[in-house]
Amino acid sequence: MDKQFFPEHFYWGASTASHQVEGGTVNQWTIWELAHAKQLSKTAEQRLDWLPDYKHIKSKVEDPQNYISGNGVEHFKRYKEDYRIAKSLNLNALRFGIEWSRVEPVEGQWDEEVFEHYRKMILEMKAKGLEPFLNLWHWTMPTWFADQGGFTKRGNVKFFERFVQKIADEFGHNLRHVITINEPNVYTTFSYLTKEWPPQEGNLLHAAMVIWNLVLAHKRAYKILKRKNSKLLVGVATQLANIQAKRPRNLFDEFSVKIMRYVWNWFFLNRIRRHQDFVGFNYYFSDYYTGFLKRDNPKVPVNDLGWYMEPEGLYPLLLRTWTHYKKPIFVTENGVADEQDQYRRWWLEETIIAMERAISEGVELKGYFHWSLLDNFEWKYGWWPKFGLVEVDRNDGMKRKVRPSAVWFAEKIKKI
């Protein structure tokens, strides 16, 4: 591979999210899991029997325990081991979260021991040569905040500001990169339109209020962080899709593409254009639209979740994002649900080629974070989807095992 494409100080990393790996969290999501685990297990077949390997996952998805995050993969306790593994994979950065419900379990009361624990995690990352990229909010919130309406109420943004200020005071000078909000478009859609996630509201007005309040939350967080440390680089991690017309030059298909690209990809980023030092986005999907807003993706290849896979779609998306904003870009998540590890190497190869092409055409791409470092709790799906570079056997003492695709990835990074 020609070394000229990737910048000398390119960040090769992996991502995690606190609730999905730490274990022992108590937030609005854990409450929802406990209340809905039995229902999710009973309805598993009608929801999931269309998946390509349903027979293989049947016993897992019909077990209520699958839907409870519980002890996670004990990353909160085993972070040193996980950082050693990350470094052995030749990574030089990690995206991680600070769980709001851990540091402020009761309104206005901070848990200083938890702050000290996160401080040790950050220092350990640095000691291992891993650049910490802190993600402030990844969908979970303290129960007291959810009970007051969460982000449906503009007045509640002040609580998020207070959290951000505390984080800035504690860690503002130990960090160089902060991501404020993860996938605001996904959270708003699944929690307030499709009713798949807590609080399961099908309420268009609340959805509109949430997305606007998240815009406001980011802007205020940006100002707080920059006041504390003007050298901090601050952005978001929205989800962007490579949205294409099923029938190029068809008026209806092209019209749908324009609407979806604006609403899904650019709406949030346009609102915060002047309040971001970089554009962070997560890429999983190439979506093809036909007729009026009808998604019609190819049937193969698909990953374990039934998602159509087109890793090379990252290339045109990088070009469009660069054209829109002309700011440094980080791919903050990108990966594939693949328990048997049959697609991950291919996905990584095609992704690296896509990034090379984009950089060769002038895109200022600064880093790539694979999702995920570890197998993790995958929200409404539970434990069965496997995204990790590192396999975690939760039935055998949380034993970690590096997947073959991760070994290949580590060697590839070494050669770049």
Side-chain angles (χ1 to χ4, degrees), residues 105 109 135 213 343 389 396:
Q109 295 183 22
N135 193 115
N213 287 335
Y343 299 118
L389 292 169
D396 185 16

Side-chain angles (χ1 to χ4, degrees), residues 295-352:
R295 187 169 58 186
D296 185 13
N297 286 342
K299 301 301 184 287
V300 292
V302 295
N303 68 15
D304 293 352
L305 282 164
W307 299 351
Y308 167 62
M309 296 185 292
E310 192 175 305
E312 63 270 27
L314 179 61
Y315 163 70
L317 190 56
L318 284 167
L319 293 186
R320 287 188 212 109
T321 305
W322 174 249
T323 299
H324 270 76
Y325 303 106
K326 288 293 193 294
K327 288 190 176 182
I329 297 172
F330 287 96
V331 178
T332 42
E333 283 183 30
N334 173 267
V336 58
D338 182 19
E339 182 179 7
Q340 301 303 318
D341 205 36
Q342 57 184 326
Y343 299 118
R344 195 170 285 105
R345 174 176 169 174
W346 161 75
W347 180 280
L348 284 164
E349 284 184 293
E350 294 295 327
T351 297
I352 290 170

Side-chain angles (χ1 to χ4, degrees), residues 21-71:
V21 294
E22 284 184 356
T25 54
V26 180
N27 51 48
Q28 101 284 14
W29 215 292
T30 53
I31 301 301
W32 182 82
E33 292 164 15
L34 293 170
H36 291 82
K38 288 184 179 179
Q39 179 194 17
L40 290 168
S41 64
K42 288 179 180 178
T43 60
E45 185 168 357
Q46 69 185 65
R47 290 184 295 107
L48 302 170
D49 67 350
W50 61 275
L51 289 171
D53 203 15
Y54 182 75
K55 290 182 180 179
H56 174 69
I57 64 170
K58 179 179 171 66
S59 62
K60 300 173 186 176
V61 299
E62 295 181 2
D63 178 1
Q65 290 302 309
N66 171 70
Y67 302 97
I68 297 174
S69 55
N71 293 326

Side-chain angles (χ1 to χ4, degrees), residues 164-179:
V164 174
Q165 184 66 63
K166 179 67 173 176
I167 296 296
D169 292 341
E170 296 286 341
F171 307 117
H173 291 287
N174 296 107
L175 300 166
R176 289 191 285 186
H177 301 86
V178 176
I179 296 163

Side-chain angles (χ1 to χ4, degrees), residues 223-252:
K223 292 177 181 178
I224 290 168
L225 292 162
K226 299 293 277 191
R227 278 198 301 267
K228 190 65 182 182
N229 181 358
S230 61
K231 295 181 179 179
L232 269 177
L233 299 177
V234 182
V236 297
T238 190
Q239 190 194 92
L240 303 186
N242 174 36
I243 297 171
Q244 305 281 8
K246 185 78 171 180
R247 300 167 294 178
R249 294 180 294 280
N250 178 279
L251 292 178
F252 290 103

Side-chain angles (χ1 to χ4, degrees), residues 389-408:
L389 292 169
V390 180
E391 178 184 352
V392 181
D393 189 342
R394 298 178 71 252
N395 296 316
D396 185 16
M398 303 288 181
K399 183 178 179 181
R400 272 74 164 146
K401 181 181 178 182
V402 175
R403 287 194 163 96
S405 58
V407 174
W408 176 88

